[in-house]
Every structure is written in structure tokens, then in C-alpha cells.
């Protein structure tokens, strides 16, 4: 179990096609914190993003292609010198009340996330299967405030 996690993030549009921002995450149970910077570029209907965590401990690159209204194809590459790099492909379906995400990684992990949005709070249910390690896990998250 991960324990209690707190996070604060902010993105600001600095140009018609560019957003810049940061994220601060506190892992209370482990007495650790992480700080990251990110950028998001809008290329027509497509989106590209990049971020760095903890001054270069990890780098993330991604590309989102809209398939039809509310459905996106997502590709993500994570470069991590300590734990190895990972490529992820997936689909994301969004509606007013529900978000559904399904991904598969180059390390044989299949992940699904169901997000239920309501006015005072949101609920996320997730499951992950790691075929190489013959391991599975389940989790949930609760967020307070307006849901996006």
C-alpha cells in the first residue's frame, strides 16, 4: 500500500499552442516529496507533452491523437536511468460522468482505470496486471472539488 499522497499542480497557457507548468507531490507515509516540470503543445487537434521529474531522474514524452469525440489514442515513453525505459500505448474514453482508460506497456503490464465524476468528489478505481512478474494489484482514489 502506498499510503497517503498529497499533490498540487498548475499549468498556465503561455501561448496559443503552448502550456507550461509544475507539479509537487508529497508522499506522507514515506516522508518524501517530488517536484516536476512539464510542457504541453497543441498541434491542430493533436497534443504532445513532455516532463521531467526530480531534476532529470525521469523524462516523459507523450503524444495524444483524437480518434473520435471523447476517444483518444495515447502513446507515452518514460526514460528512467535507474529502472529502465518503458513505452505505453492505450485508449482513453471521456464523457461528462465517466473516464475509462486502458493501456499496455512494453514491460507486459496491462492497466485499466475507471473514473467516476460527481459534483462534490470523484472516485477512481484501477487494476493492473503484470504478466512478467505474475502479479496483479487493485487500487482506488478519491478526489474532492470540481472534477475535470
Amino acid at each position: 500500500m502506498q499510503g497517503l499522497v498529497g499533490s498540487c499542480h498548475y499549468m498556465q497557457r503561455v501561448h496559443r499552442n503552448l502550456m507550461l507548468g509544475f507539479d509537487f507531490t508529497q508522499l506522507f507515509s514515506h516522508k518524501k516529496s517530488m517536484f516536476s516540470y512539464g510542457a504541453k503543445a497543441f498541434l491542430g487537434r493533436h497534443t504532445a507533452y513532455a516532463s521531467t521529474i526530480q531534476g532529470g531522474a525521469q523524462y516523459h514524452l507523450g503524444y495524444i491523437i483524437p480518434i473520435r469525440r471523447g476517444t483518444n489514442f495515447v502513446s507515452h515513453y518514460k526514460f528512467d536511468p535507474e529502472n529502465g525505459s518503458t513505452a505505453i500505448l492505450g485508449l482513453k474514453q471521456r464523457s461528462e460522468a465517466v473516464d475509462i482508460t486502458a493501456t499496455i506497456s512494453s514491460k507486459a503490464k496491462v492497466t485499466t482505470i475507471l473514473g467516476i465524476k460527481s459534483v462534490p468528489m470523484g472516485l477512481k478505481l484501477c487494476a493492473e496486471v503484470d504478466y512478467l512478474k505474475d502479479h496483479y494489484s487493485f487500487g482506488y482514489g478519491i478526489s474532492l472539488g470540481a472534477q475535470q
Side-chain angles (χ1 to χ4, degrees):
M1 188 166 141
Q2 287 289 331
L4 184 61
V5 176
S7 181
C8 172
H9 55 270
Y10 180 76
M11 293 289 286
Q12 175 68 46
R13 191 177 292 266
V14 295
H15 183 269
R16 182 172 56 95
N17 296 329
L18 181 66
M19 291 177 78
L20 299 174
F22 69 89
D23 177 82
F24 175 77
T25 302
Q26 178 70 42
L27 303 161
F28 294 101
S29 60
H30 293 90
K31 297 181 182 175
K32 292 183 180 179
S33 60
M34 294 185 296
F35 204 83
S36 64
Y37 297 97
K40 190 183 260 191
F42 304 98
L43 315 163
R45 293 182 52 219
H46 299 207
T47 305
Y49 61 90
S51 67
T52 179
I53 297 175
Q54 291 291 78
Q58 289 182 4
Y59 296 98
H60 297 259
L61 298 171
Y63 192 66
I64 301 170
I65 303 169
I67 297 173
R68 61 185 179 124
R69 184 181 170 105
T71 305
N72 293 311
F73 171 77
V74 180
S75 61
H76 181 93
Y77 178 75
K78 177 178 81 171
F79 174 74
D80 185 347
E82 292 181 17
N83 301 316
S85 300
T86 305
I88 298 171
L89 299 176
L91 288 174
K92 182 179 238 183
Q93 175 69 46
R94 298 188 78 164
S95 68
E96 283 187 36
V98 176
D99 289 344
I100 300 170
T101 305
T103 63
I104 185 164
S105 78
S106 60
K107 294 185 177 182
K109 286 185 182 178
V110 177
T111 305
T112 59
I113 301 171
L114 171 64
I116 301 169
K117 300 181 266 185
S118 62
V119 177
M121 66 180 188
L123 173 68
K124 285 199 178 196
L125 305 171
C126 33
E128 182 177 82
V129 177
D130 188 337
Y131 286 101
L132 295 179
K133 295 180 181 175
D134 196 25
H135 178 264
Y136 63 90
S137 59
F138 298 94
Y140 67 93
I142 299 172
S143 57
L144 302 174
Q147 308 299 309
Q148 296 182 5

